[in-house]
């Protein structure tokens, strides 16, 4: 199956593949070219995305990868909901 390459606002690069299970992370690296898991070192938290993680939607994957994406998503959602009032 084909892979999709995603680069976040924070310059994290991810290769993901879609399957019946969802979006699976196939490769992950930071802007430095090193594995993002190495860059995070001991500071890595439980929410860090890892190779082989599966996400039900592309939005769920992007929200875990990118705080900026999450911020923009929430702002746009708020705008649309406010327009309904």
């Amino acid at each position: 199956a084909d892979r999709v390459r995603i680069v976040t606002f924070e310059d994290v690069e991810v290769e993901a593949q879609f399957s019946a299970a969802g979006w699976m992370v196939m490769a992950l690296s930071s802007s430095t070219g090193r594995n993002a898991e190495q860059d995070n070192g001991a500071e890595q938290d439980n929410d860090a995305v890892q190779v082989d993680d599966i996400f039900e939607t592309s939005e769920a994957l992007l929200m875990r990868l990118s705080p900026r994406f999450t911020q923009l998503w929430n702002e746009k959602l708020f705008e649309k909901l406010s327009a309904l009032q």
Side-chain angles (χ1 to χ4, degrees), residues 11-28:
D11 290 325
V12 173
E13 187 173 328
V14 175
E15 281 187 30
Q17 182 174 319
F18 186 71
S19 70
W23 289 92
M24 177 182 264
V25 176
M26 306 303 288
L28 180 65

Side-chain angles (χ1 to χ4, degrees), residues 1-76:
D2 292 331
R3 292 183 179 188
V4 175
R5 185 176 144 264
I6 301 165
V7 179
T8 69
F9 290 106
E10 297 81 12
D11 290 325
V12 173
E13 187 173 328
V14 175
E15 281 187 30
Q17 182 174 319
F18 186 71
S19 70
W23 289 92
M24 177 182 264
V25 176
M26 306 303 288
L28 180 65
S29 63
S30 70
S31 60
T32 63
R34 296 174 53 206
N35 183 303
E37 293 172 31
Q38 293 171 341
D39 287 344
N40 290 340
E43 296 175 15
Q44 182 176 356
D45 60 23
N46 292 333
D47 283 346
V49 174
Q50 307 216 1
V51 173
D52 295 332
D53 282 354
I54 298 175
F55 296 86
E56 193 171 310
T57 66
S58 57
E59 293 87 352
L61 170 59
L62 290 168
M63 285 182 181
R64 282 277 296 277
L65 284 171
S66 173
R68 180 73 177 134
F69 175 85
T70 302
Q71 177 187 4
L72 292 171
W73 176 275
N74 289 335
E75 288 173 5
K76 195 64 159 173

Side-chain angles (χ1 to χ4, degrees), residues 74-85:
N74 289 335
E75 288 173 5
K76 195 64 159 173
L77 178 60
F78 182 77
E79 286 175 20
K80 289 183 178 188
L81 290 173
S82 294
L84 294 175
Q85 294 180 355

